[in-house]
Amino acid sequence: MGSASHRAPSPLRQPETISSPQRSKRALILVLLTIFFPGGAQLVAGNRKLGRIAVSITMLCWVAVLALVALYFIDRSILLGWAAHPNFQLFLIIVLGTLALGWLIMFINTLVIIRPKLLAPGMRAIVTVFTLAAVVATSGLFVYGASMLNTGRETIQAVFDEGPAFDPIDGRYNIAVFGADSGANRDGVRTDVAALLSVDAKTGKSLLISVPRNFQNARFAPGSPMEKIWPNGYNCGDECIFNSIYRNAEMEHADAFPDSVKNVGAQAAMDALEGTTGLPVQGYVMINMAGFEQFVDALGGVTINSGGWVPYNGKYYENSTVRTHWFAPGTHEFTGKQALWFARSRDFTDDYHRIKRQQCLQQAIIKQFTPQTILTNFTSIMSAGEQLVETDIPAGQLGSFVSLAEKVSKEPMARLTLGAPDFERSFSTYPDFDKLQERIQSLIAKQNEPKKEKKDKAEKSEDSSKSSAPEETTEASEETSETTDVNNAPKLSNKEDREFTQPDGSPITEEYLVNLEMAGYRTLISEIAANNDECSVP
């Protein structure tokens, strides 16, 4: 057996000893090793110490990836929580940046090992281009990922507050949602959209309580500065409607709030939601209407099933003072601008129609706001987010909320409007707080019932109604009875619904509605549009 000095030279380490085709094959093998197993090229043909370090790091990374994949299938809410936390994002940014630099060093070292001068001119160009493409696909991808994470982290830090995360109260998170409408021609901010989203922390079952903009006599939470100013509720007459609370506190009573309150208007509106609904409000999210359009576009649009004709203002028709355009009944894939029109429209109808469409749109966005959508449109969503949202929710809370949002998107959302159609039309002017708070607690209790118990109750109720209803009155009852939705809101029976057509029996069209408006038949248009609050999420 010969000594080490007389062994045959290794072609991988001494390419000058092999033929040109073999050198080309060797070069491609070393590049592939660096792509799929960084450090492998160094182990077999270069600095073994460097190779062992790189291979150890590679193995560690693969173990981490496999652990994360396993965690995703075991309990991905934990993974989503980590991914949304700014500190974890910073850790990932550092890791990705370090790996990108390390991989780049491995590729440079691999080129040194290949010794391109020994390759044929054509193969030299191929190997160089192949290696550059590999660098872009590996190190470049990591740099891009780190850049995306940094964008998200900066947005989170800009939008969300500091401080510790908070726990649910009585098993629920209660977050105020405001739609801010301000402009150069308006004095202060108007919260034309005001709602309280109450979510069960374990199940994700949610209740969206919408407050009409013209809701009067709102109560404030005990201990609120506004309660001391308005001890009998916000009751200065027609001007004291809910959408003016923000502006009233900010412009006239800011000095009544502690210095620690960053947004006096939002705090006053939160206090009004808490005092009115009886649910403790833990934070707020205020959506800028202008930013809403950009946000929906960043999501890739939103899909809605509209039940009726919804008007919006567009360009004036030729030789006319009419500028009303219409969304027809059916499925629509709205852009941001169209979604905003759909949500804000109240021509020929009223605020209550608008509220129901807004509730539907909110549910559609929640359903569409999935991890897949976020990853696909991450940069544009983050860019829109800073323009869209203001909140006092701490950044540390975001992780738990992201995982909770996934549960919410899988559960039907109960909805309640503190006005028509869930209450009589005069309710917003003369609210019965005991009645509305009792309704809210009833809806929450209904969500907490086990499914089997709900089924048993339904069967007992059906049996009871069958045994107690006299046979001779059944037909009359069917003709006059009212049906109710999940919120016990009265609806007209099918026999009272009207299906409108044109005089010749053909379906209603946008052109026909425009001609009606030009002819001054506004009442008939209002009747045709009366069901445009019917909306669903596909």
Side-chain angles (χ1 to χ4, degrees):
M1 191 166 59
S3 63
S5 60
H6 294 92
R7 288 176 189 166
S10 169
L12 286 172
R13 293 187 172 275
Q14 295 177 304
E16 66 275 5
T17 63
I18 57 179
S19 64
S20 180
Q22 288 176 317
R23 286 197 291 269
S24 299
K25 184 178 180 180
R26 168 185 177 272
L28 293 175
I29 290 173
L30 293 178
V31 174
L32 288 171
L33 272 175
T34 306
I35 293 173
F36 295 105
F37 209 75
Q42 285 68 31
L43 276 180
V44 300
N47 187 322
R48 287 193 175 93
K49 183 177 180 181
L50 177 62
R52 283 192 290 269
I53 293 172
V55 167
S56 298
I57 294 173
T58 300
M59 293 297 293
L60 183 63
C61 289
W62 276 115
V63 169
V65 168
L66 291 174
L68 291 175
V69 170
L71 185 60
Y72 178 84
F73 287 105
I74 295 170
D75 187 357
R76 63 178 175 177
S77 63
I78 297 175
L79 197 59
L80 290 172
W82 287 353
H85 198 287
N87 291 340
F88 187 75
Q89 290 174 340
L90 178 60
F91 170 73
L92 283 182
I93 290 168
I94 295 171
V95 169
L96 289 176
T98 303
L99 291 177
L101 179 60
W103 219 336
L104 175 61
I105 292 171
M106 289 298 101
F107 276 112
I108 293 173
N109 187 256
T110 298
L111 277 178
V112 172
I113 296 170
I114 289 172
R115 295 164 67 178
K117 288 183 179 181
L118 295 178
L119 300 175
M123 181 53 66
R124 190 183 308 159
I126 291 173
V127 169
T128 302
V129 172
F130 183 42
T131 304
L132 287 174
V135 169
V136 172
T138 53
S139 292
L141 184 63
F142 278 17
V143 169
Y144 179 68
S147 175
M148 286 180 60
L149 280 172
N150 189 56
T151 299
R153 185 171 181 273
E154 287 178 350
T155 301
I156 289 171
Q157 289 182 322
V159 171
F160 290 86
D161 211 347
E162 298 178 353
F166 49 79
D167 296 322
I169 298 176
D170 296 329
R172 302 184 75 86
Y173 289 109
N174 301 308
I175 306 297
V177 181
F178 303 121
D181 192 358
S182 61
N185 61 335
R186 294 193 177 120
D187 188 15
V189 173
R190 299 188 312 180
T191 52
D192 278 353
V193 176
L196 182 62
L197 179 62
S198 179
V199 183
D200 188 295
K202 289 184 178 179
T203 66
K205 293 180 179 179
S206 57
L207 168 63
L208 184 66
I209 305 166
S210 296
V211 183
R213 60 189 290 277
N214 62 342
F215 188 92
Q216 296 186 36
N217 303 303
R219 290 180 178 176
F220 293 96
S224 166
M226 293 294 278
E227 190 221 10
K228 296 175 183 176
I229 298 167
W230 304 97
N232 298 316
Y234 192 54
N235 61 353
C236 66
D238 291 342
E239 293 183 2
C240 277
I241 58 179
F242 200 95
N243 82 331
S244 70
I245 291 174
Y246 186 109
R247 181 178 52 192
N248 179 268
E250 189 175 50
M251 300 183 68
E252 298 183 25
H253 306 296
D255 56 349
F257 287 79
D259 294 338
S260 58
V261 176
K262 295 181 180 179
N263 188 324
V264 167
Q267 184 62 53
M270 287 168 62
D271 291 345
L273 278 176
E274 181 169 328
T276 298
T277 64
L279 297 177
V281 181
Q282 297 168 277
Y284 77 91
V285 175
M286 188 161 67
I287 300 171
N288 181 288
M289 290 299 187
F292 175 81
E293 180 181 328
Q294 185 183 353
F295 180 72
V296 172
D297 285 334
L299 279 177
V302 61
T303 304
I304 288 289
N305 287 332
S306 177
W309 288 90
V310 179
Y312 64 94
N313 291 328
K315 292 182 179 179
Y316 286 100
Y317 292 96
E318 188 175 355
N319 301 321
S320 171
T321 58
V322 174
R323 57 180 298 192
T324 307
H325 297 251
W326 295 84
F327 293 120
T331 301
H332 296 272
E333 293 183 5
F334 286 139
T335 64
K337 180 176 288 188
Q338 291 170 332
L340 190 58
W341 283 337
F342 183 81
R344 301 190 70 182
S345 172
R346 54 180 173 148
D347 291 343
F348 300 104
T349 51
D350 56 30
D351 280 328
Y352 304 108
H353 287 73
R354 178 166 73 169
I355 286 171
K356 289 192 71 175
R357 288 196 303 274
Q358 288 170 352
Q359 290 173 336
C360 182
L361 190 60
Q362 288 162 352
Q363 190 171 2
I365 290 174
I366 288 173
K367 183 177 180 181
Q368 189 169 320
F369 201 70
T370 62
Q372 293 83 356
T373 304
I374 295 171
L375 289 173
T376 305
N377 306 284
F378 187 84
T379 302
S380 53
I381 289 174
M382 289 299 105
S383 177
E386 196 166 344
Q387 306 299 320
L388 171 76
V389 177
E390 176 190 327
T391 182
D392 66 345
I393 295 174
Q397 191 77 50
L398 189 58
S400 60
F401 276 12
V402 167
S403 58
L404 182 61
E406 191 177 18
K407 296 179 183 177
V408 172
S409 67
K410 295 177 181 178
E411 293 286 346
M413 177 184 288
R415 293 178 279 183
L416 179 69
T417 300
L418 304 187
D422 295 335
F423 296 91
E424 58 272 17
R425 295 190 70 83
S426 62
F427 191 85
S428 297
T429 306
Y430 307 103
D432 182 334
F433 291 95
D434 291 337
K435 185 177 180 180
L436 74 85
Q437 290 180 12
E438 182 181 347
R439 178 78 68 85
I440 290 169
Q441 291 301 323
S442 173
L443 288 171
I444 292 175
K446 188 175 181 180
Q447 287 186 329
N448 291 335
E449 288 180 3
K451 290 184 179 180
K452 188 176 184 300
E453 184 179 343
K454 286 183 181 180
K455 185 177 179 181
D456 291 343
K457 283 188 177 182
E459 290 175 350
K460 286 180 181 179
S461 176
E462 186 178 351
D463 292 340
S464 175
S465 62
K466 284 181 180 178
S467 62
S468 61
E471 292 183 5
E472 62 270 21
T473 62
T474 300
E475 185 175 348
S477 298
E478 288 178 352
E479 291 183 359
T480 59
S481 65
E482 292 182 330
T483 59
T484 58
D485 64 9
V486 295
N487 297 324
N488 298 319
K491 289 182 178 179
L492 296 174
S493 67
N494 290 334
K495 292 182 181 290
E496 294 179 77
D497 288 343
R498 294 181 61 186
E499 183 176 344
F500 289 93
T501 61
Q502 296 187 44
D504 61 0
S506 59
I508 299 295
T509 64
E510 182 177 26
E511 182 181 6
Y512 175 68
L513 291 171
V514 172
N515 288 332
L516 284 180
E517 186 176 0
M518 289 180 177
Y521 293 110
R522 296 183 64 86
T523 301
L524 178 56
I525 296 173
S526 296
E527 292 176 357
I528 294 172
N531 69 332
N532 75 11
D533 58 345
E534 295 176 4
C535 173
S536 62
V537 181

